[in-house]
Each structure stands twice: as structure tokens, then as C-alpha cells.
């Protein structure tokens, strides 16, 4: 078993609150990713779970036992860091075996556990090599092997792929996802990379300035971000934010005025209400249509990226240079920098945010409290 329950967890360094009261439950076997920009508190939260940072207040339970004051080795966890921290003079076998030797396991047991981990990680033919003879990806697998042999209840990963090049990161993402499936263990994975979060997580915890901004499955966060921070963080290229003015509402929609003057109806929950004036309309670059039936905006691109599989354009709204519009479309498009083109979008794809940055349409059905685990099948 490897379940976690975090209640009101806080961490202060002197007068500075770094973790500001986090509530979260994690079910056995879940792959949970903590994501957020640099400095938001991801490593601190993970290290508090590991027992490497003291908890200022709040409660941390692993398998329903309060472990606030347990030493790291007593918590049933293993942590893998960004720097692999392998012993250069030891072979791969001895590096993986190290925690078992410390725990005074028998040589037969060590042999069997190291070989099993090496098989899972495809390191069988590297066991007698030294770390210097391995690639970055292989070194990171050795570090993971050292975590596996301890058979932890919970694996903690702190940006383990950040030192690898892009191709290797993509490969290791797939390997870690398979590893999670094979081991069935609980994994908590910290990254600043939303692609890693989207591709690996059962559930993503988005952190912002030491607090949870939103928790949900990857597609939940993509389709129903609760605020502009999550909307802007999840998705690449980033969601466009267009300032609009509130004009009025009908039973199922909110009417806004776009830059340029046209009116636009965005579907909204009839229960949503507020004293609105200036709103922000959010639309993802991939939802912007380049041959719209209803033209809503003319834009002038200043950069056009032609990637073969798709074309990304970075534009300003014609006549309103304060408003930027990024588009993402399949294939190679003929757009050129400086050449105006027309874009439109479907009302159903739009997000609306109030002046505080909170979503006022497409809201999540579950609100408040620690969100219960929901495994993606
Ligand atoms: P992340 O991993 O998300 O990049 P961290 O958890 O490392 O962020 O840091 C969160 C915040 O806590 C940062 O603002 C950092 O400067 C601060 N912090 C981390 N460790 C200490 C420390 N030992 N003393 C004071 N402040 C710290
Ligand atoms: Mg960190």
C-alpha cells in the first residue's frame, strides 16, 4: 500500500511561508505530478513528504499513519533526484545494490533484487560498467534502480529528466509510464514541464506560490482550467487571453464585445453571476480557425514557425497592437510575417475569466476541499 493524506501542510523559512497550507489525498498506485513554475514550492513539498524538510505545521499521513516526525528511512519512500548522485568508482551493480548493502541484506537477496531491477530497467548488460561508461539516460535508470530495490511504498521524483536532452526525455517519459504500470506503486513526480505532467500523470497538482491552484486529470485541466494561471500553464503554445467587455447575458450565455467591436456570445452556466465589466476571453491556439465563417479578428503575424507537422504564428490584432494572438494549425500554411489574415473561433471553445482571473464558464463540477482520486482508466 502507498496512500498519502496531506492536511494543512505548511512550511515557513523564518517569516516567509513557502508552502501555504496544502490539502491533498493520493490513492495507492496513483501517478501524481506536481507541476508549477520554478520557485513555486514543488521541491519543498516533495522534500517534506520525504522527510528531508521539517514540516512547520499540518499533518502528513502515509498509509494512514502520521509520519511528520518519522525519519526518511522509516517512511517507506524512495526519492530520485535530478542529479543522479551515482558513485563513480562503483559498478552499476554496486550502485544499485548500495541501499541493500546499507540495510545488510544477504548477498543472495542482493543478487536477486539487483538483477530484477536491472531487467525492469533494461540495464542487464551494463551491470559491470562504471557510470562514466553510460549515457545520461542509462545513468538516470541506475538511479531509479537504486530506488526500486528498496521496494518503497511511494516513489518521489524531483525533476529526474531535466538534465537529459529533449529526445531522451521523451523516451524516458514513456519508460517511466511503463515502469509505473509494471510496479503498480504510488509515484509523485515533480516537474516544471507541463508536457511531462500531461503525458505521465493520472492526476496533476498545479502549484502556484506555495499553494494548490488546481488538481485534476490532465484533460480536466486542459478543458476546465479554474483560473488563468492554470489555463496559461497547461497547453503549448499558451492559451490566448483577449481583453473583452461584458455586454450582457442570455439564459445560457454571456455576451462580450471583442477588440474591434464585434459582439460574441460565449456559453456559460446560467448560475454564474458577478458584477462584471472587463473580462478576459481565453482561446487556445489550436482552437483558432484560420478560415472562419464568422470573421472575428484580423491579425498580422510577426513570427511564423513552420514545423512541417504544424504552423505556429505569433500575431498582433490589426488595429489593436496590445492584443497578441497565437495560432496553431496542422500542416504548412502560406502565412508570412507582416501579411494580414483572418481568424475566428467557436464560442464553445472559449473560456471566460473575471477580473480576478477566475473562470466563469466551463467550470469544474467538483469544487472545494481535497479533490478525491480519480484514476484514468
Ligand atoms: P521549486 O522546486 O518549485 O522550484 P522550491 O521548493 O525549491 O521551488 O522553493 C520554493 C521557495 O522556497 C523558493 O522561493 C525558494 O527560494 C524558497 N526556499 C527554498 N529553500 C529555502 C531555504 N532553505 N531557506 C529559505 N528559502 C528557501
Ligand atoms: Mg525544485
Amino acid at each position: 500500500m502507498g496512500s498519502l493524506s496531506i492536511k494543512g501542510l505548511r512550511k515557513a523559512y523564518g517569516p516567509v511561508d513557502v508552502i501555504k497550507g496544502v490539502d491533498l489525498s493520493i490513492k495507492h498506485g496513483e501517478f501524481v505530478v506536481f507541476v508549477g513554475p520554478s520557485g513555486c514550492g514543488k521541491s519543498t513539498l516533495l522534500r517534506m513528504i520525504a522527510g528531508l524538510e521539517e514540516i512547520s505545521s499540518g499533518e502528513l499521513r502515509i498509509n494512514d499513519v502520521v509520519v511528520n516526525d518519522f525519519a526518511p528511512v522509516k517512511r517507506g519512500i524512495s526519492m530520485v533526484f535530478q542529479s543522479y548522485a551515482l558513485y563513480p568508482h562503483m559498478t552499476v551493480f554496486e550502485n544499485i545494490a548500495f541501499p541493500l548493502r546499507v540495510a545488510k541484506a544477504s548477498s543472495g537477496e542482493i543478487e536477486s533484487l539487483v538483477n530484477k531491477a536491472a531487467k525492469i530497467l533494461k540495464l542487464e548488460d551494463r551491470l559491470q560498467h562504471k557510470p562514466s561508461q553510460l549515457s545520461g539516460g542509462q545513468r538516470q535508470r541506475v538511479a531509479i534502480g537504486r530506488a526500486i530495490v528498496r521496494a518503497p511504498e511511494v516513489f518521489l521524483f524531483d525533476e529526474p529528466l531535466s538534465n537529459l536532452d529533449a529526445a531522451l526525455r521523451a523516451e524516458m517519459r514513456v519508460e517511466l509510464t511503463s515502469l509505473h504500470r509494471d510496479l503498480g506503486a504510488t509515484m509523485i513526480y515533480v516537474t516544471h514541464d507541463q508536457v511531462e505532467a500531461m503525458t505521465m500523470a493520472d492526476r496533476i497538482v498545479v502549484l502556484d506560490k506555495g499553494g494548490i491552484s488546481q488538481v485534476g486529470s490532465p484533460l480536466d485541466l486542459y478543458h476546465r482550467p479554474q483560473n488563468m494561471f492554470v489555463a496559461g500553464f497547461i497547453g503549448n503554445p499558451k492559451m490566448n487571453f483577449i481583453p473583452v467587455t461584458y455586454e450582457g447575458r442570455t439564459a445560457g450565455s454571456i455576451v462580450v464585445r471583442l477588440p474591434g467591436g464585434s459582439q460574441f456570445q460565449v456559453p456559460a452556466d446560467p448560475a454564474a453571476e458577478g458584477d462584471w465589466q472587463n473580462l478576459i476571453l481565453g482561446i487556445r491556439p489550436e482552437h483558432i480557425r484560420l478560415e472562419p465563417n464568422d470573421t472575428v479578428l484580423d491579425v498580422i503575424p510577426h513570427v511564423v514557425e513552420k514545423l512541417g507537422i504544424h504552423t505556429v504564428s505569433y500575431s498582433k490584432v490589426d488595429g489593436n497592437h496590445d492584443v497578441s494572438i497565437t495560432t496553431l494549425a496542422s500542416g504548412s500554411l502560406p502565412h508570412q510575417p507582416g501579411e494580414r489574415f483572418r481568424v475566428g473561433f467557436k464560442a464553445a471553445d472559449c473560456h471566460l475569466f473575471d477580473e480576478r482571473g477566475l473562470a466563469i464558464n466551463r467550470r469544474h463540477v467538483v469544487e472545494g476541499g481535497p479533490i478525491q482520486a480519480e484514476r484514468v482508466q
Side-chain angles (χ1 to χ4, degrees), residues 42-43 158-159 190:
K42 306 178 295 292
S43 295
D158 193 353
E159 311 230 11
V190 159

Side-chain angles (χ1 to χ4, degrees), residues 243-290:
V244 295
T245 47
Y246 175 71
E247 291 284 307
R249 61 175 311 161
T250 66
S253 71
I254 290 176
V255 184
V256 297
R257 189 173 292 280
L258 294 165
S262 50
Q263 278 199 348
F264 198 62
Q265 280 195 17
V266 181
D269 179 352
E273 57 180 41
D275 181 18
W276 298 315
Q277 282 179 326
N278 297 315
L279 300 177
I280 302 287
L281 185 139
I283 179 80
R284 295 198 181 277
E286 56 273 37
H287 293 149
I288 292 199
R289 296 186 298 167
L290 303 180

Side-chain angles (χ1 to χ4, degrees), residues 49 231 297:
I49 294 170
L297 291 172

Side-chain angles (χ1 to χ4, degrees), residues 14-25:
V16 182
D17 275 353
V18 170
I19 299 296
K20 300 171 184 167
V22 164
D23 295 303
L24 183 70
S25 324

